Amino acid sequence: GYVEVSTDGGASWTSHHRGIPGTHEQMDAVDPEHTWTAMSDRGVLFTHDGTTWEVVALTQQVGSENVKNVTDVDFVDSTFGWAAVARGVGGGPRKAEISRSVDGGLSWVNQFSWEHRKMLDIEAVDRDHAFAAGEIVNSDGFMLRTVDGGLNWTVVSGLPDDWTIWAMDFPT
């Protein structure tokens, strides 16, 4: 995998990262120097200077399969953010997880786990408020929210049946 960067609104692109194999799922940038990308098969790839990239492994291998895949990452500033994680092998049992970093992605702490779910997206509004979305295995979607920095995650009620949110974004 590689990261291409544009500094002129997409008119031209420059390769800033090559060499770490993996699937880039989602990216988030808070400024030109601080960018993260969720790599489903590697962890979180990040830069704190706009040119040097590092990987923090949040994945977990069992045999030849990943059982812990990062599906999205979202930061509110250069240090504080969340990652959406899906655990499970193939079509087997799944567990949705949410991890938080307070040091720019150098380390992560699991804040939430939910059996038989798959986490698809996470959107941080600020350090206290965030939303996460995913799907129940072989069923409908779900949305969670926190209002206390991720100490507690609650189900958002009143959403329609038979749906799944794959991506979301809120103006901040």
Side-chain angles (χ1 to χ4, degrees), residues 98 111-112 128 130 144-155:
I98 299 170
Q111 286 194 303
F112 180 84
D128 290 323
L144 304 169
R145 74 176 182 154
T146 183
V147 296
D148 58 12
L151 296 176
N152 297 287
W153 290 87
T154 58
V155 175

Side-chain angles (χ1 to χ4, degrees), residues 61-109:
Q61 293 283 128
V62 171
S64 63
E65 293 195 59
N66 286 322
V67 296
K68 192 170 185 178
N69 299 301
V70 181
T71 57
D72 193 20
V73 61
D74 198 42
F75 275 74
V76 298
D77 57 36
S78 64
T79 60
F80 192 98
W82 282 283
V85 179
R87 289 181 64 111
V89 176
R94 292 267 182 204
K95 182 189 286 187
E97 293 183 350
I98 299 170
S99 296
R100 182 180 75 180
S101 177
V102 296
D103 59 9
L106 295 171
S107 64
W108 295 85
V109 174

Side-chain angles (χ1 to χ4, degrees), residues 24-165:
H24 298 268
E25 295 288 340
Q26 301 284 342
M27 291 187 80
D28 185 49
V30 296
D31 60 44
E33 294 183 347
H34 296 89
T35 303
W36 300 263
T37 181
M39 297 180 69
S40 63
D41 46 2
R42 299 286 293 186
V44 175
L45 177 69
F46 69 92
T47 180
H48 289 173
D49 63 9
T51 57
T52 306
W53 293 82
E54 298 179 49
V55 173
V56 175
L58 293 179
T59 58
Q60 180 181 349
Q61 293 283 128
V62 171
S64 63
E65 293 195 59
N66 286 322
V67 296
K68 192 170 185 178
N69 299 301
V70 181
T71 57
D72 193 20
V73 61
D74 198 42
F75 275 74
V76 298
D77 57 36
S78 64
T79 60
F80 192 98
W82 282 283
V85 179
R87 289 181 64 111
V89 176
R94 292 267 182 204
K95 182 189 286 187
E97 293 183 350
I98 299 170
S99 296
R100 182 180 75 180
S101 177
V102 296
D103 59 9
L106 295 171
S107 64
W108 295 85
V109 174
N110 186 39
Q111 286 194 303
F112 180 84
S113 296
W114 199 3
E115 294 288 337
H116 307 293
R117 309 292 194 272
K118 180 180 179 183
M119 195 64 70
L120 298 171
D121 192 48
I122 193 149
E123 180 66 24
V125 177
D126 57 35
R127 285 177 174 246
D128 290 323
H129 301 86
F131 292 85
E135 63 183 351
I136 302 168
V137 176
N138 299 320
S139 188
D140 300 330
F142 65 88
M143 182 183 280
L144 304 169
R145 74 176 182 154
T146 183
V147 296
D148 58 12
L151 296 176
N152 297 287
W153 290 87
T154 58
V155 175
V156 175
S157 61
L159 298 170
D161 292 335
D162 198 21
W163 60 272
T164 299
I165 295 175

